[in-house]
Amino acid sequence: MVILELVEQVLSMAEGDTITLPLDSADERNLAAAWCARTGNTLVAADDSSVTVRRGRPADPVAALPADRRPGARLWLYTNFDCNLACDYCCARSSPQADRRALGVDRVREIAEAAPAAGVTEILLTGGEPFILPDLDQIVANCTAALPTTLLTNGMLFRGHRLQMLQAMPRDRLTLQISLDSATPDLHDTHRGKGSWAKAVAGIRTALGEGFTVRVAATLTTDDLKEERELRSFLDSLGIPHQHQVVRPLAHQGAADDGLELTVETLIPEVTITADGVYWHPVGADNDEQLVTRDIFPLDAVIDLVREQFRAHQATADAAARTFPCA
């Protein structure tokens, strides 16, 4: 009966419209799914009690994204969660008191080796503060051997053996992304700790002096455009090109008390792996609502899962929009 109902209802609808029909069993759900696959219609949602079908098939939202922003093109790895700072808006709640929750050299190597075949084009290492790890040089070596790699850091620990680790890292396949939130110490230090601005600027200069490609990322906690202009002018003076200046608003995640509300429904996913599993986006790696799966491997299957969930979210959003036409 469900097939007859689908034929009658769907073929009378306009392209892109949706309908929800009741079901009596899992068998009817499977029949509806098979009918959609054969007839070129879209199964939006289904369980044992109902099925939602859209007439036709919309453009693939993954394919519509720029190639370098499709889920899985950039793979984020949380090397650890402990940090020398306790920034009051940290999306990962990192601090000196946080548990390390490290991925570890062996697991990072396994991920990096699997990444190219899974369609990954860039690896990004973040934390926590990665330079706390005594084996960071091995982690970076494993990643850069596989793909171009970006290493996020607060830039404050470039001395002693950690400076030696930095100096041993490759220049041609590695970008250092250092955090700096303002052109002067006051605002930066308010959120990241007294003296952190001066150390971060010194870290930027050290990294540039060592011949690394350096990107600087800022989290803006105000809407003051003057702050952003002054920051960009200061970064210009340090020799950071505009394409390597990343300025983003505060996200209401982790330790932040306010900021933009970012959810799996509103974020284009960037596959993110931590010691606890796979997350939708690096900004939500401390948020159970953004946990996709506890299973890291096989990596290509994980990336496919994130892409399918993204397609499902987009289809649901489109269906909801069509439920309330304006005319």
Side-chain angles (χ1 to χ4, degrees):
M1 291 298 294
V2 69
I3 298 300
L4 293 176
E5 190 73 13
L6 283 168
V7 171
E8 180 179 346
Q9 296 286 344
V10 174
L11 295 183
S12 66
M13 299 188 314
E15 188 81 7
D17 284 348
T18 61
I19 188 171
T20 299
L21 298 175
L23 298 176
D24 292 329
S25 67
D27 287 340
E28 286 195 342
R29 178 194 63 200
N30 294 335
L31 283 171
W35 181 83
C36 288
R38 286 197 305 269
T39 59
N41 295 295
T42 303
L43 183 69
V44 176
D47 55 32
D48 290 348
S49 62
S50 67
V51 61
T52 300
V53 173
R54 176 186 294 110
R55 180 164 186 178
R57 288 188 179 157
D60 182 1
V62 172
L65 294 170
D68 63 345
R69 292 294 169 162
R70 292 171 188 166
R74 305 202 309 172
L75 181 64
W76 291 79
L77 306 182
Y78 268 79
T79 58
N80 61 304
F81 282 84
D82 51 332
C83 187
N84 56 310
L85 296 179
C87 305
D88 62 13
Y89 53 69
C90 179
C91 65
R93 300 182 196 271
S94 294
S95 74
Q97 288 74 44
D99 292 335
R100 174 151 294 180
R101 292 158 59 200
L103 274 172
V105 173
D106 292 341
R107 192 154 38 171
V108 170
R109 181 176 60 250
E110 189 176 358
I111 293 168
E113 289 174 349
V120 178
T121 59
E122 181 185 4
I123 295 173
L124 297 99
L125 302 172
T126 188
E129 172 50 51
F131 272 90
I132 285 179
L133 299 174
D135 48 12
L136 180 63
D137 52 343
Q138 299 174 53
I139 289 172
V140 169
N142 291 333
C143 291
T144 55
L147 288 167
T149 300
T150 295
L151 174 60
L152 280 68
T153 174
N154 57 41
M156 296 175 58
L157 300 178
F158 299 159
R159 58 185 181 275
H161 73 278
R162 294 188 176 101
L163 176 59
Q164 293 173 356
M165 276 203 305
L166 174 69
Q167 291 169 333
M169 292 177 183
R171 273 59 168 178
D172 58 335
R173 301 260 282 184
L174 182 65
T175 295
L176 294 178
Q177 179 169 308
I178 299 176
S179 302
L180 189 74
D181 294 340
S182 56
T184 58
D186 292 347
L187 187 59
H188 180 101
D189 286 5
T190 296
H191 298 285
R192 294 181 179 266
K194 186 176 181 181
S196 60
W197 183 90
K199 291 178 181 178
V201 172
I204 292 170
R205 291 187 168 124
T206 295
L208 289 170
E210 291 291 340
F212 287 97
T213 297
V214 178
R215 183 186 302 142
V216 175
T219 298
L220 296 186
T221 55
T222 74
D223 295 326
D224 188 347
L225 293 179
K226 180 182 177 185
E227 288 282 351
E228 181 176 347
R229 288 195 298 270
E230 290 177 349
L231 173 61
R232 289 189 181 277
S233 178
F234 180 66
L235 295 180
D236 290 342
S237 73
L238 291 177
I240 306 298
H242 280 208
Q243 70 268 27
H244 289 156
Q245 299 176 14
V246 180
V247 178
R248 63 208 169 196
L250 177 65
H252 189 196
Q253 295 284 340
D257 292 328
D258 50 29
L260 288 179
E261 298 293 343
L262 300 175
T263 66
V264 292
E265 292 82 10
T266 60
L267 279 168
I268 295 173
E270 295 207 33
V271 181
T272 300
I273 298 177
T274 79
D276 303 312
V278 180
Y279 287 78
W280 192 254
H281 196 279
V283 78
D286 182 59
N287 186 339
D288 287 343
E289 293 180 358
Q290 295 204 30
L291 176 66
V292 177
T293 176
R294 297 286 184 189
D295 299 321
I296 296 174
F297 301 106
L299 185 60
D300 56 351
V302 166
I303 291 173
D304 285 343
L305 176 61
V306 173
R307 290 182 172 185
E308 285 307 309
Q309 290 191 8
F310 176 59
R311 290 184 179 103
H313 285 305
Q314 294 299 103
T316 300
D318 187 48
R322 290 181 177 275
T323 302
F324 302 98
C326 295

